Amino acid sequence: MLSIQQVEGDKNSRYEGIFNQAKGLFHDERDWLANMANSASLLYHTLGEVNWVGYYLLKENELVLGPFMGLPACIRIGIGQGVCGTAVKEKRTQRVPDVHAFPGHIACDAATRSEIVIPIQVNGNVLAVLDIDSPQPERFDQMDQQHLESFVQLLTESTDWTHVPTK
Ligand code: SME
């Protein structure tokens, strides 16, 4: 059984603790589904003040729900739709301090107040997004964004994306 250690200290120390555990989970494992599933669980249990952590995979021009932790969520999101679809269209992180102020935000859990979505890109192509929701307004600041983008980079480098489904 793999256990998750709670992380403590200031924000940098907490992310360091999360990264070290992610490196342990990804060690000797390059399967895309296993690494997405375990990293969603790790982030869900360690970030704090989050109510949904998961992935959407880009399949034939729409995002389809992938491994996640949290309440059941909407399954398909078009490119350019919602926060996730906007992250794909613009190929960059969307950090939303107040989801009610984001035009077209797709509400999957009514408790969500802020959100961050980071695209996963390999060779310049978006394969998926990491979506994290919080019941706390303005939960994610610039520092969270930098650390979470590094986290996605670690996942990207640790994983073999050859067999990730694109349809
Ligand atoms: N809020 C997202 C939809 C996904 S759920 O939050 C899990 C969006 O607007 O794209």
Side-chain angles (χ1 to χ4, degrees), residues 31-41 55 57 67 120 128 155 161:
D31 184 276
W32 67 270
L33 182 54
N35 285 350
M36 278 188 163
N38 258 345
S39 58
S41 174
Y55 296 94
L57 299 163
I120 298 175
L155 169 71
W161 300 99

Side-chain angles (χ1 to χ4, degrees), residues 52 56 73-74 77 82-84 105-106 108 115 131 133:
W52 202 91
Y56 282 88
C74 44
I77 300 173
V83 186
C84 293
H105 168 257
I106 301 164
C108 291
E115 177 165 1
D131 179 14
D133 293 358

Side-chain angles (χ1 to χ4, degrees), residues 3-134:
S3 63
I4 285 177
Q5 309 294 319
Q6 285 310 311
V7 290
E8 289 172 2
D10 63 18
K11 194 167 274 192
N12 284 327
S13 315
R14 295 206 306 276
Y15 275 107
E16 195 182 331
I18 293 171
F19 269 64
N20 287 338
Q21 294 185 73
K23 285 175 186 163
L25 292 172
F26 300 154
H27 181 68
D28 275 348
E29 183 52 74
R30 296 186 61 77
D31 184 276
W32 67 270
L33 182 54
N35 285 350
M36 278 188 163
N38 258 345
S39 58
S41 174
L42 174 65
L43 291 174
Y44 183 84
H45 288 289
T46 54
L47 279 175
E49 294 179 321
V50 296
N51 57 330
W52 202 91
V53 177
Y55 296 94
Y56 282 88
L57 299 163
L58 188 58
K59 299 182 184 177
E60 292 188 330
N61 280 330
E62 66 180 350
L63 289 165
V64 183
L65 185 63
F68 72 94
M69 295 286 290
L71 289 176
C74 44
I75 298 167
R76 293 175 186 270
I77 300 173
I79 311 302
Q81 288 180 357
V83 186
C84 293
T86 303
V88 175
K89 189 177 174 191
E90 297 186 2
K91 284 189 162 189
R92 63 183 175 88
T93 298
Q94 303 294 308
R95 183 156 55 88
V96 181
D98 174 6
V99 295
H100 299 312
F102 187 97
H105 168 257
I106 301 164
C108 291
D109 180 341
T112 298
R113 297 294 309 279
S114 61
E115 177 165 1
I116 188 165
V117 178
I118 299 155
I120 298 175
Q121 301 188 58
V122 176
N123 299 328
N125 298 315
V126 178
L127 297 182
V129 298
L130 169 62
D131 179 14
I132 306 176
D133 293 358
S134 172

